[in-house]
Amino acid sequence: MTGNGHPRVREFEKLRDHAIVRVLTEGVRAEELLTLRLDSLDLSQGLAQVVPLKDARSTGEGRVIPLQPRTVIALTRYIRARETHKLSDSEWLWLGTRNRSKLTYSGLYRMLNRRAQEAGYEGCHPHQFRHTATDDMLSAGMSGEDVMTIQGWKDPTMLRRYAADMAVSRAVKAARKMGDGTDLALPRERHRATQRQQEGPSGDCPAVLSA
């Protein structure tokens, strides 16, 4: 694969980028995403083995990430397209175009911003997906201990920090479940919703890109 303008290259990028976004929605860090190998995946079980970060490699620590069905489908489609890549024998999961064998962080960052702009957003950072994933797990009623295990945190301070970022949003959702269908949004939330309608899409892009 060479030029990005070729239809086959564009289709490959589309499938790859969607699979990347879906994996990011599972809460992995950018470095963990980029160090995934083909043998890191067990799609039949819906699991991914995350390679430890640098400060944990000496102890051999790692973790298994459960993948949502939509993520498994996106990865299956990408891997099928990956088989046609000139460098498909590479151990790395994410291949680049122009005969690049491995996607880099700068390439990931550029891709996310390009896809965000195409969707009408100003930009998107890989770490936004980790915040959104944490909020989704807590909103679904998952225990803090289980969230820490999936996210790879040893210190509950990290859980509290991430949880605080979206606490108001979760409180509003919980209140609505208890209500009778009336608008129970806090004044600040209603003001923000009005601003979003007037200003268009905000910088929070994970939900849109992962659709």
Side-chain angles (χ1 to χ4, degrees):
M1 293 190 177
T2 54
N4 296 64
H6 192 283
R8 191 159 61 95
V9 175
R10 290 199 301 270
E11 180 63 15
F12 171 83
E13 283 190 325
K14 178 182 176 181
L15 294 171
R16 181 201 63 187
D17 296 353
H18 182 59
I20 287 173
V21 168
R22 286 301 316 171
V23 173
L24 284 173
T25 64
E26 307 291 359
V28 301
R29 301 175 178 92
E31 181 184 352
E32 294 170 337
L33 173 97
L34 293 171
T35 53
L36 286 174
R37 293 171 167 80
L38 275 175
D39 60 8
S40 301
L41 303 177
D42 184 350
L43 296 184
S44 64
Q45 298 297 318
L47 300 172
Q49 176 71 44
V50 174
V51 176
L53 295 175
K54 292 179 180 179
D55 57 357
R57 285 173 186 161
S58 59
T59 60
E61 295 179 0
R63 68 187 193 282
V64 174
I65 300 293
L67 303 173
Q68 297 298 318
R70 290 173 63 190
T71 303
V72 173
I73 292 172
L75 282 167
T76 300
R77 290 172 176 170
Y78 163 66
I79 290 174
R80 190 180 301 124
R82 185 186 181 281
E83 293 173 355
T84 66
H85 197 287
K86 183 178 180 180
L87 301 174
S88 60
D89 290 339
S90 171
E91 62 180 330
W92 302 110
L93 176 60
W94 309 114
L95 300 180
T97 55
R98 301 181 185 277
N99 294 328
R100 296 188 181 97
S101 63
K102 183 185 178 184
L103 186 67
T104 64
Y105 183 83
S106 60
L108 171 65
Y109 188 84
R110 287 194 302 270
M111 180 277 286
L112 288 177
N113 276 282
R114 184 178 72 254
R115 295 301 186 185
Q117 290 168 7
E118 291 173 355
Y121 286 74
E122 291 184 1
C124 199
H125 191 279
H127 210 65
Q128 288 179 253
F129 292 86
R130 192 161 166 80
H131 281 265
T132 300
T134 301
D135 180 57
D136 287 345
M137 286 185 274
L138 292 172
S139 296
M142 188 178 293
S143 71
E145 182 179 357
D146 288 341
V147 173
M148 287 178 62
T149 298
I150 292 175
Q151 297 291 60
W153 294 325
K154 299 294 185 183
D155 187 348
T157 301
M158 293 299 296
L159 176 64
R160 290 193 294 269
R161 192 183 93 186
Y162 275 67
D165 288 344
M166 301 295 285
V168 172
S169 174
R170 285 195 303 276
V172 170
K173 292 177 184 177
R176 283 176 173 160
K177 289 180 181 179
M178 297 173 58
D180 58 2
T182 57
D183 184 8
L184 298 177
L186 300 176
R188 181 179 298 177
E189 287 299 305
R190 287 200 297 269
H191 174 66
R192 288 176 178 172
T194 301
Q195 281 187 319
R196 286 194 291 269
Q197 292 174 358
Q198 294 175 345
E199 297 173 3
S202 67
D204 188 16
C205 62
V208 172
L209 294 188
S210 62

